[in-house]
């Protein structure tokens, strides 16, 4: 029930509405009066800056007279002096928005916004993003289930795929709950965290599943789980440590939005790891027992083997049979029953990229990639428009787009504030102030004196014009200067506004500080905004008079200055940390160096190619560049670790072996992360779409480096195998392990020969690919012999 006049911000007992004086003048003017641009004089003798009110004006030829304009802006100011006023003003804004939503006119188009609109629209993005979560979960569950499926109905693990996504969902919920409980604020950027955490969690599941598939199906579930953890633990730990480090380093940045996102995501990564090795591991145990009992992957009922059901229908054999011992020969030797993708990497892709002519082509393409990436880095654009912070269909986005369109030529009016007391009545002091203003007016970012608001200039002109008319009007000494400034100058209606620009001492005997305004121009993009602010501050710092410059927009412009240094600092710390992690977990210093160089290459590509995709360097892309370091190590370290661990002496064979072991998990992890983020590409928000674009580039480049570039480089510059050290290690590992459980021969029914010789668990091919040394094979060949014979 409050009207605007009851809540308006008043000055001189009148409501302050920006543009109202010009609107009244335009309505009341006749043919003999005109409106000038960018400044005009209205009745009462005081000037009005029309540049901030009239948008895209058309001037009459050879003059500053406005013929017509394409837009007209009005600003309604409300009181916020007390909590009660602030609350009432907020309610009035909401009522005004409700009115404007239903306003229609055949004569004009109205675009509107309030002081709280941008924050409200940012908050509204979160529930809109939540709708995408259900779709993302459904797609990822489907992908995970399909990735865990095989043609064998016993060895398939569809339930594990669902439980893996559930584990990632539990990590997201735990992260949100813990961070909110600890008082970490939630913002709209955090809404994209679940999509990323889902991809990371499912990636770890695929690594564990790949390790399980390489174990001998004749082992007990406990043994297979031990071998799975022994194989997958390093890869999953590398993933967790590097991602947690990347987000931990991002959490020390000075930009709040980036810091909050990194805290939430870093905690989610740690919970992902915890649930992966506990919850998912426990699930794998139960599923392993189901597989051991030759039970169906879906119904968990016992099913016959294909040989036992050879008299049944083809449909029955396809859907209702399976063999947990698939891949085990009659002699008990495990020949493997690989997934089709693993076979593709071992038989086709690996041998293909290790051909000499393919290596040359890959290196040439990589050189072109790196050159384009560096060129893109040099073209990077900084900053983000305010219209892009809201949803695409938001009224706020429309308002800011029109403001950029019609009011870009005239930028913010910057306040020049002198913060120290000066003797303005002294001519020398006035000359110093004039010199200061002239320096600000003579830059490439400002207009000249025409649009500057200076109480001192107008006061001196006032004295010069009326000194012979008004008795005692002079500025020859301190007393006359100060008394005439207060009355008649500031009492005059045309100059009364300057009373807000002069701060007198309590007894009115000195001027403790004062301010002036200069008009900026052609601030059409973020580079100009940043350069203008820096130039203004440089001038202020260079003056002998203590001066500061200010505009509310400087809060946003300041981010442009700190984003690049913060990003470079975080990248430097993260890369150094990743090198240390790689040095500890990858057992070769040269390969640790290649992992680090791979990180640098991927980060360069992300920054360069996001520029080509129309993504600016802002808070959102900064988050993803920080994330880039963690994902870069994921892909590179997996392949490098497998390459170094392989016992093959030939570099090409070791590269093929590494691709066979980890090519499929890397591919699955990349696809799962991209699928998890893909629905952000359709989100009605620049923030979420930018997150998708940069993360898509990160994952794509990371996968290409891990699957193509790094294997090729390792075949050329990778470390050679030290034969002597290898033989020593072979001898050391071949000692009899009398604590190892003896293999039960009756696990292989009547098809297995009944003899004392124990069958090896791994074929030579699996030995070369998966483990440095198959000590169990050597043990079981020797365990039946007397110790003296050994």
């Amino acid at each position: 029930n409050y009207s605007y006049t009851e809540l308006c911000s008043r000055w001189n007992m009148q409501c302050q509405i920006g543009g109202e004086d010009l609107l009244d003048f335009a309505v009341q003017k006749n043919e003999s009066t005109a409106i000038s641009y960018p400044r005009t004089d209205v009745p009462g003798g005081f000037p009005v800056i029309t540049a901030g009110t009239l948008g895209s004006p058309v001037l009459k030829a050879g003059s500053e007279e406005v013929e017509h304009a394409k837009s007209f802006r009005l600003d309604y100011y409300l009181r916020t002096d007390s909590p009660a006023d602030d609350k009432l003003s907020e309610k009035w804004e909401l009522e005004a928005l409700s009115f404007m939503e239903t306003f229609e006119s055949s004569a004009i188009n109205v675009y509107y916004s309030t002081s709280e609109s941008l924050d409200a629209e940012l908050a509204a993005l979160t529930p809109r993003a939540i709708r995408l979560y259900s779709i993302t979960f459904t797609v990822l569950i489907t992908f995970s289930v399909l990735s865990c499926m095989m043609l064998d109905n016993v060895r398939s693990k569809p339930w594990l795929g669902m439980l893996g996504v559930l584990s990632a969902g539990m990590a997201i919920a735990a992260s949100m709950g813990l961070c909110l409980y600890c008082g970490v604020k939630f913002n709209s950027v955090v809404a994209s965290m679940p999509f990323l955490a889902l991809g990371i969690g499912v990636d770890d599941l695929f690594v564990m599943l790949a390790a399980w598939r390489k174990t001998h199906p004749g082992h007990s579930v406990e043994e297979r789980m031990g071998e799975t953890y022994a194989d997958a633990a390093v890869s999953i730990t590398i993933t967790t440590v590097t991602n947690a480090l990347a987000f931990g380093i991002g959490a020390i940045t000075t930009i709040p939005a980036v810091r909050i996102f990194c805290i939430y995501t870093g905690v989610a990564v740690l919970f992902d790891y915890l649930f992966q090795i506990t919850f998912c591991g426990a699930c794998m145990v139960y599923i392993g027992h189901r597989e051991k009992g030759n039970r169906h992957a879906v119904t968990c009922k016992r099913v016959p083997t294909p040989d036992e059901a050879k008299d049944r229908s083809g449909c029955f054999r396809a859907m209702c049979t399976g063999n947990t011992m698939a891949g085990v020969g009659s002699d008990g030797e495990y020949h493997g029953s690989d997934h089709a993708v693993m076979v593709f990497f071992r038989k086709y892709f690996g041998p293909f990229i290790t051909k000499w002519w393919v290596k040359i082509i890959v290196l040439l393409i990589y050189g072109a990639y790196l050159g384009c990436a560096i060129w893109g880095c040099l073209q990077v654009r900084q900053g983000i428009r305010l219209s892009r912070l809201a949803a695409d269909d938001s009224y706020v986005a429309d308002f800011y787009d029109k403001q950029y369109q019609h009011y870009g030529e005239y930028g913010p009016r910057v306040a020049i504030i002198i913060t120290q007391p000066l003797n303005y009545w002294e001519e020398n002091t006035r000359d110093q102030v004039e010199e200061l203003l002239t320096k600000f007016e003579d830059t490439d970012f400002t207009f000249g004196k025409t649009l500057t608001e200076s109480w001192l200039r107008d006061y001196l002109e006032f004295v010069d014009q009326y000194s012979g008319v008004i008795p005692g009007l002079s500025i020859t000494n301190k007393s006359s200067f100060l008394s005439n400034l207060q009355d008649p100058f500031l009492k005059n209606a045309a100059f009364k506004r300057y009373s807000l620009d002069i701060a007198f001492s309590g007894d009115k005997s000195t001027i403790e500080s004062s301010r002036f305004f200069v008009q900026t121009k052609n601030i059409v993009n973020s580079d100009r905004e940043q350069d203008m602010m820096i130039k203004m501050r440089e001038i202020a710092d260079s003056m002998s008079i203590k001066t500061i410059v200010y505009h509310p927009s400087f809060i946003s412009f300041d981010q442009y200055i700190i984003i690049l240094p913060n990003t470079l600092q975080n990248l430097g710390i993260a890369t150094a940390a990743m090198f240390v992690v790689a040095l500890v977990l990858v057992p070769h210093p040269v390969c640790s160096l290649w992992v680090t160089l791979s990180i640098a290459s991927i980060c360069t590509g992300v920054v360069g190619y996001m520029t080509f995709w129309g993504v600016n360097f802002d808070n959102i892309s900064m988050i993803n560049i920080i994330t880039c370091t963690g994902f870069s190590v994921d892909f590179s370290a997996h392949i490098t670790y497998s390459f170094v661990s392989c016992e093959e002496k030939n570099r090409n064979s070791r590269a093929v072996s590494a691709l066979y072991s980890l090519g499929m998990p890397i591919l699955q992890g990349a696809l799962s992360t991209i699928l998890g983020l893909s629905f952000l590409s359709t989100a009605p928000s620049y923030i979420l779409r930018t997150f998708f674009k940069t993360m898509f580039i990160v994952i794509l480049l990371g996968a290409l480096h891990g699957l193509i570039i790094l294997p090729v480089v390792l075949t050329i510059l990778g470390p050679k195998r030290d034969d002597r050290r290898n033989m020593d290690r072979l001898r050391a590992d071949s000692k009899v392990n009398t604590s190892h459980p003896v293999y039960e021969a009756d696990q292989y029914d009547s098809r297995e020969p009944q003899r004392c010789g124990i069958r090896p668990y791994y074929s030579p091919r699996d030995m070369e690919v998966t483990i440095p040394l198959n000590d169990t094979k050597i043990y079981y060949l020797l365990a039946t012999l007397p110790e003296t014979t050994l």
Side-chain angles (χ1 to χ4, degrees):
N1 297 324
Y2 287 87
S3 65
Y4 174 72
T5 55
E6 295 174 287
L7 298 173
C8 67
S9 177
R10 294 178 180 273
W11 184 70
N12 204 27
M13 302 302 294
Q14 294 183 344
C15 289
Q16 296 302 298
I17 303 176
E20 184 183 37
D21 293 333
L22 183 60
L23 181 61
D24 291 341
F25 177 58
V27 170
Q28 298 171 8
K29 81 179 188 69
N30 52 44
E31 295 181 358
S32 63
T33 59
I35 296 176
S36 299
Y37 187 87
R39 167 179 175 155
T40 194
D41 291 324
V42 298
F46 57 91
V48 170
I49 306 298
T50 55
T53 304
L54 298 178
S56 301
V58 176
L59 306 181
K60 291 184 178 180
S63 71
E64 294 184 344
E65 184 177 343
V66 177
E67 187 172 305
H68 64 269
K70 294 185 178 180
S71 70
F72 193 97
R73 172 170 170 158
L74 292 170
D75 294 282
Y76 292 82
Y77 298 99
L78 297 164
R79 287 199 310 271
T80 57
D81 300 333
S82 66
D85 285 342
D86 188 43
K87 188 173 183 179
L88 288 174
S89 295
E90 185 177 347
K91 289 183 177 180
W92 187 91
E93 284 184 340
L94 294 175
E95 288 298 322
L97 289 176
S98 299
F99 171 77
M100 294 307 301
E101 286 175 0
T102 59
F103 176 81
E104 294 182 0
S105 173
S106 58
I108 57 173
N109 295 320
V110 180
Y111 302 93
Y112 52 92
S113 181
T114 72
S115 58
E116 301 293 331
S117 289
L118 191 56
D119 289 339
E121 289 298 292
L122 279 170
L125 284 178
T126 302
R128 298 184 69 170
I130 289 175
R131 299 180 196 136
L132 299 174
Y133 294 164
S134 58
I135 302 175
T136 301
F137 267 93
T138 303
V139 171
L140 272 181
I141 288 174
T142 303
F143 177 78
S144 298
V145 168
L146 292 176
S147 297
C148 295
M149 295 287 286
M150 299 180 70
L151 295 177
D152 191 301
N153 292 308
V154 170
R155 301 186 70 201
S156 290
K157 298 172 181 63
W159 294 112
L160 185 62
M162 297 185 199
L163 293 169
V165 177
L166 175 62
S167 174
M170 290 164 54
I172 294 167
S175 170
M176 299 280 284
L178 179 62
C179 290
L180 291 172
Y181 178 79
C182 293
V184 182
K185 293 183 178 180
F186 184 90
N187 60 33
S188 59
V189 182
V190 178
S192 56
M193 178 272 289
F195 300 95
L196 184 59
L198 277 174
I200 295 173
V202 175
D203 182 17
D204 290 342
L205 169 68
F206 293 145
V207 173
M208 287 189 67
L209 183 58
W212 172 272
R213 283 173 174 160
K214 290 183 291 184
T215 61
H216 194 289
H219 283 189
S220 67
V221 174
E222 290 78 6
E223 287 178 302
R224 296 186 74 181
M225 285 302 299
E227 293 169 15
T228 297
Y229 273 95
D231 192 8
V234 173
S235 293
I236 294 177
T237 303
I238 288 175
T239 299
T240 302
V241 171
T242 54
N243 282 323
L245 274 174
F247 290 115
I249 292 167
I252 65 175
T253 186
T254 56
I255 301 176
V258 177
R259 183 171 63 250
I260 291 172
F261 175 86
C262 288
I263 291 173
Y264 273 91
T265 312
V267 175
V269 167
L270 295 177
F271 275 116
D272 253 336
Y273 180 73
L274 176 64
F275 291 139
Q276 194 67 42
I277 62 176
T278 54
F279 176 76
C280 278
C283 293
M284 286 188 73
V285 170
Y286 283 104
I287 292 172
H289 281 293
R290 175 198 59 75
E291 182 179 324
K292 187 74 174 175
N294 215 73
R295 296 177 179 273
H296 197 278
V298 177
T299 64
C300 298
K301 293 184 177 181
R302 290 185 182 276
V303 295
T305 65
D307 289 340
E308 294 171 345
K310 57 186 176 182
D311 296 332
R312 306 294 294 269
S313 66
C315 181
F316 181 88
R317 290 197 305 271
M319 304 297 293
C320 300
T321 64
N323 186 5
T324 187
M325 301 302 295
V328 179
S330 59
D331 59 351
E333 185 175 348
Y334 180 46
H335 299 284
S337 181
D338 295 332
H339 195 283
V341 178
M342 298 174 70
V343 174
F344 167 76
F345 276 107
R346 177 170 54 85
K347 285 189 175 181
Y348 304 105
F349 184 77
F352 175 74
I353 67 166
T354 54
K355 297 180 183 294
W356 68 268
W357 59 271
V358 176
K359 295 180 187 179
I360 294 174
I361 293 174
V362 169
L363 293 177
L364 289 175
I365 294 174
Y366 175 72
Y369 149 83
L370 197 59
C372 292
I374 293 172
W375 185 77
C377 291
L378 299 176
Q379 309 299 316
V380 70
R381 299 177 298 273
Q382 294 192 58
I384 181 173
R385 284 187 172 186
L386 292 177
S387 59
R388 291 182 170 180
L389 295 177
D392 298 338
D393 54 359
S394 168
Y395 65 92
V396 177
D398 293 336
F399 172 81
Y400 283 113
D401 282 338
K402 292 300 178 182
Q403 180 168 286
Y404 276 110
Q405 177 183 347
H406 295 302
Y407 298 95
E409 181 181 359
Y410 288 83
R413 293 180 63 77
V414 178
I416 314 299
I417 305 170
I418 297 175
T419 59
Q420 69 178 81
L422 293 178
N423 298 329
Y424 292 95
W425 49 88
E426 296 178 359
E427 186 173 355
N428 181 52
T429 301
R430 294 197 295 268
D431 291 341
Q432 289 180 340
V433 174
E434 183 63 27
E435 179 186 358
L436 180 147
L437 288 177
T438 301
K439 283 197 173 185
F440 282 106
E441 293 164 342
D442 288 344
T443 69
D444 182 49
F445 305 99
T446 51
F447 288 96
K449 295 183 178 181
T450 310
L451 298 181
T452 299
E453 284 193 75
S454 170
W455 66 267
L456 185 58
R457 286 176 181 168
D458 284 353
Y459 181 41
L460 296 178
E461 186 178 342
F462 177 81
V463 171
D464 184 61
Q465 183 176 354
Y466 295 103
S467 59
V469 179
I470 301 176
L473 183 61
S474 69
I475 55 172
T476 55
N477 54 56
K478 175 180 178 180
S479 176
S480 60
F481 182 94
L482 292 175
S483 61
N484 287 316
L485 175 62
Q486 297 171 53
D487 187 12
F489 180 72
L490 293 179
K491 296 291 186 180
N492 189 293
F495 306 114
K496 189 175 292 185
R497 66 186 188 278
Y498 286 135
S499 61
L500 301 175
D501 298 334
I502 305 172
F504 291 97
S505 60
D507 58 0
K508 306 286 186 178
S509 61
T510 58
I511 298 175
E512 295 189 339
S513 65
S514 67
R515 68 179 177 183
F516 310 87
F517 290 91
V518 294
Q519 178 65 52
T520 57
K521 64 179 180 180
N522 298 327
I523 311 300
V524 294
N525 55 47
S526 58
D527 289 334
R528 290 279 297 179
E529 290 171 343
Q530 173 184 325
D531 294 342
M532 177 270 292
M533 183 180 67
I534 292 174
K535 183 64 176 178
M536 293 286 185
R537 288 176 174 174
E538 286 177 352
I539 296 175
D541 292 339
S542 68
M543 302 306 297
S544 58
I545 299 175
K546 292 181 181 179
T547 308
I548 61 173
V549 291
Y550 176 75
H551 188 274
S553 298
F554 283 5
I555 297 173
S556 299
F557 301 168
D558 269 323
Q559 294 186 21
Y560 307 154
I561 297 176
I562 64 175
I563 281 178
L564 183 58
N566 267 261
T567 303
L568 294 177
Q569 170 190 303
N570 291 338
L571 281 179
I573 298 173
T575 303
M578 300 309 162
F579 175 74
V580 174
V581 172
L583 200 59
V584 172
L585 298 179
V586 179
H588 202 288
V590 173
C591 286
S592 300
L593 178 62
W594 284 117
V595 170
T596 307
L597 293 176
S598 179
I599 295 173
S601 175
I602 295 171
C603 291
T604 303
V606 170
V607 176
Y609 287 95
M610 77 177 191
T611 304
F612 299 140
W613 206 350
V615 177
N616 286 7
F617 197 73
D618 52 37
N619 295 348
I620 311 304
S621 53
M622 178 184 177
I623 289 172
N624 296 292
I625 293 169
I626 293 171
T627 307
C628 175
T629 57
F631 277 96
S632 302
V633 177
D634 290 351
F635 297 118
S636 305
H638 290 339
I639 287 293
T640 306
Y641 177 79
S642 184
F643 180 90
V644 175
S645 301
C646 179
E647 291 298 315
E648 288 283 353
K649 298 178 183 178
N650 182 282
R651 287 172 177 166
N652 285 351
S653 299
R654 290 156 68 192
V656 174
S657 172
L659 288 170
Y660 165 74
S661 297
L662 287 168
M664 181 178 173
I666 287 176
L667 185 61
Q668 288 176 319
L671 289 176
S672 65
T673 305
I674 290 175
L675 280 174
L677 295 168
S678 60
F679 291 95
L680 293 181
S681 64
T682 63
S685 165
Y686 169 84
I687 293 175
L688 298 180
R689 287 197 305 275
T690 297
F691 191 85
F692 163 75
K693 288 180 178 180
T694 48
M695 284 307 304
F696 178 82
I697 296 174
V698 169
I699 300 302
L700 179 63
L701 294 182
L704 290 175
H705 276 71
L707 296 177
I708 299 176
I709 297 171
L710 197 54
V712 168
V713 171
L714 289 174
T715 60
I716 301 172
L717 300 172
K720 294 181 179 180
R721 174 63 59 192
D722 186 338
D723 291 339
R724 179 176 296 276
R725 182 178 59 188
N726 188 50
M727 291 302 296
D728 291 340
R729 188 166 157 209
L730 199 70
R731 295 190 189 98
D733 288 347
S734 64
K735 294 179 180 178
V736 174
N737 181 3
T738 56
S739 65
H740 198 289
V742 177
Y743 185 82
E744 297 179 6
D746 60 356
Q747 289 184 8
Y748 286 126
D749 61 55
S750 60
R751 292 175 296 171
E752 298 299 333
Q754 301 297 319
R755 60 173 184 250
C756 294
I758 305 300
R759 295 158 298 283
Y761 287 173
Y762 293 91
S763 68
R765 181 196 66 202
D766 289 319
M767 286 174 59
E768 295 167 359
V769 171
T770 59
I771 54 175
L773 179 65
N774 189 351
D775 59 324
T776 55
K777 174 179 180 180
I778 295 173
Y779 162 68
Y780 285 123
L781 287 176
L782 301 178
T784 58
L785 300 177
E787 186 174 355
T788 55
T789 306
L790 176 63

